[in-house]
Amino acid sequence: MFKERAGLIVWISDLKAAKSLERYGSIHYISKKMSYVAMYVNAAGLEDTTKAIQKLSFVKKIERSYRTEIKTEYNSNVPDKTAFYSY
């Protein structure tokens, strides 16, 4: 149903030209102060998309987000201390 997405942080030099990145994927956030764009692109064509974005004149650097590779399920092996502190 949903396509696999990958997150990109694109550092830019021109904020007005940042809107043109919408044709490569969906823009999540544009930082005016720090001049970057957080966006999601199709994971199947990630390498081709990053090469195409890098060729744009206003793009300084592209960083890939590793959020999908971080473990988000946690287990608690630490014993519960609520019984110790209750009277």
Side-chain angles (χ1 to χ4, degrees), residues 20-40:
S20 66
L21 290 173
E22 280 187 334
R23 65 179 156 165
Y24 297 103
S26 59
I27 293 178
H28 179 69
Y29 180 72
I30 298 176
S31 173
K32 294 177 183 173
K33 185 176 182 181
M34 295 180 64
S35 298
Y36 72 88
V37 176
M39 64 183 299
Y40 290 103

Side-chain angles (χ1 to χ4, degrees), residues 1-60:
M1 183 173 165
F2 292 109
K3 293 183 180 180
E4 195 67 29
R5 301 187 311 168
L8 292 178
I9 305 298
V10 182
W11 296 92
I12 56 174
S13 60
D14 185 17
L15 285 171
K16 288 185 179 180
K19 290 280 188 179
S20 66
L21 290 173
E22 280 187 334
R23 65 179 156 165
Y24 297 103
S26 59
I27 293 178
H28 179 69
Y29 180 72
I30 298 176
S31 173
K32 294 177 183 173
K33 185 176 182 181
M34 295 180 64
S35 298
Y36 72 88
V37 176
M39 64 183 299
Y40 290 103
V41 296
N42 196 3
L46 178 65
E47 196 169 314
D48 298 330
T49 306
T50 53
K51 286 180 184 177
I53 293 173
Q54 188 66 47
K55 289 180 183 178
L56 298 173
S57 62
F58 60 91
V59 174
K60 293 180 184 177

